[in-house]
Amino acid sequence: STTEKPILLNNIADAEAFVSGAEVAVIGFFQDPQSPEAEQFRLAAGQIPEVPFGLSSSAAVLSHYGASANTVALFRRIDNDRRDLDMNNRDVDAKKLTRFVRMNELRLVTEYDPVTAIGVMQSSLEFNLLLITDKMSPKHPERMRKFRAAAELYKGKILFILLDSNLKSNERVVSYFQLKKSQLPALAIFHTPDDEHDVLTPDEISIEHVQDFCNRFLQ
């Protein structure tokens, strides 16, 4: 997009609208918008085009969010969570900030990889539903559309995760659920506190299949 990143948030109403308008939103709270820390924040914003970045140096906005100066806060709608990063620490640069965002940007459907795995482990949601599938399959876009539609129904209850079976780094997860490539796509649901889990290998991924599977497990 050609819009200037980050967006300046001059008052509480702007900031609230900014946070509620995205699945994941990042705000940098800086007393001095020209500080070296704010400069690193701008660099990081440029490297993550798909996540909206806002910047505020308004005392009212900082106080509203209980944020101290030089703090970056990531807000996510999926589990109504907020993660803060203190930029007063001299060694926090654009690279560390980018990693912080990548690690914590849980979405309606989060793609699993070594970086997002950390955010997934730290989520306050105790139920995870994995769609284990081949992303290269011609059926993938349609499967994802249905999986996303089902995810809307369990927002705040179950974390929906896409696991690409082609990635070598995901082989361990696939074997944990004792699945063979020939059985994919598969759904695996997991209750993190006690490792209780269940696996389904449906003929097709439909919203109804996902709902039945989730409801059965939740009961």
Side-chain angles (χ1 to χ4, degrees):
S1 87
T2 52
T3 52
E4 190 59 36
K5 279 190 84 170
I7 293 161
L8 292 178
L9 306 168
N10 297 318
N11 54 55
I12 294 168
D14 284 357
E16 287 186 332
F18 177 78
V19 169
S20 63
E23 277 196 61
V24 178
V26 177
I27 299 182
F29 300 100
F30 298 102
Q31 250 162 353
D32 174 9
Q34 303 311 322
S35 67
E37 292 84 4
E39 203 35 59
Q40 292 297 314
F41 180 74
R42 285 190 185 87
L43 282 174
Q47 287 166 14
I48 314 179
E50 68 280 20
V51 175
F53 276 62
L55 189 151
S56 188
S57 50
S58 146
V61 174
L62 267 76
S63 145
H64 177 73
Y65 285 104
S68 48
N70 294 343
T71 299
V72 173
L74 178 143
F75 300 85
R76 58 188 191 210
R77 225 169 46 198
I78 179 73
D79 56 359
N80 226 338
D81 205 356
R82 166 181 162 177
R83 297 286 154 117
D84 286 11
L85 180 69
D86 181 1
M87 292 211 52
N88 285 307
N89 188 337
R90 280 277 161 249
D91 66 353
V92 175
D93 55 7
K95 196 174 162 194
K96 288 213 168 111
L97 180 53
T98 303
R99 185 177 161 77
F100 165 77
V101 174
R102 286 275 176 243
M103 208 166 79
N104 289 295
E105 56 163 342
L106 299 182
R107 297 167 176 276
L108 205 53
V109 174
T110 298
E111 183 161 352
Y112 189 89
D113 63 36
V115 178
T116 58
I118 301 165
V120 166
M121 307 287 181
Q122 295 174 345
S123 165
S124 58
L125 298 180
E126 295 189 340
F127 294 95
N128 294 345
L129 177 71
L130 283 73
L131 169 58
I132 304 169
T133 187
D134 173 2
K135 266 180 82 178
M136 304 314 280
S137 158
K139 293 182 175 170
H140 180 68
E142 183 55 20
R143 280 178 193 148
M144 269 309 282
R145 195 184 62 73
K146 291 177 175 160
F147 194 60
R148 274 190 74 84
E152 283 280 1
L153 307 170
Y154 295 96
K155 214 162 35 192
K157 276 201 198 125
I158 300 176
L159 190 59
F160 276 55
I161 298 163
L162 168 67
L163 192 105
D164 184 2
S165 56
N166 289 317
L167 288 186
K168 205 153 179 52
S169 57
N170 286 338
E171 283 173 1
R172 248 188 44 232
V173 183
V174 179
S175 65
Y176 175 83
F177 292 110
Q178 297 172 339
L179 287 162
K180 298 185 190 74
K181 279 255 165 104
S182 58
Q183 294 172 290
L184 303 179
L187 293 168
I189 196 163
F190 193 86
H191 183 233
T192 46
D194 57 11
D195 291 354
E196 185 79 30
H197 61 271
D198 195 7
V199 177
L200 180 71
T201 51
D203 308 329
E204 55 156 334
I205 300 296
S206 68
I207 300 172
E208 294 72 32
H209 278 146
V210 174
Q211 269 189 283
D212 290 347
F213 183 53
C214 288
N215 293 345
R216 245 197 352 258
F217 190 79
L218 289 173
Q219 278 165 10

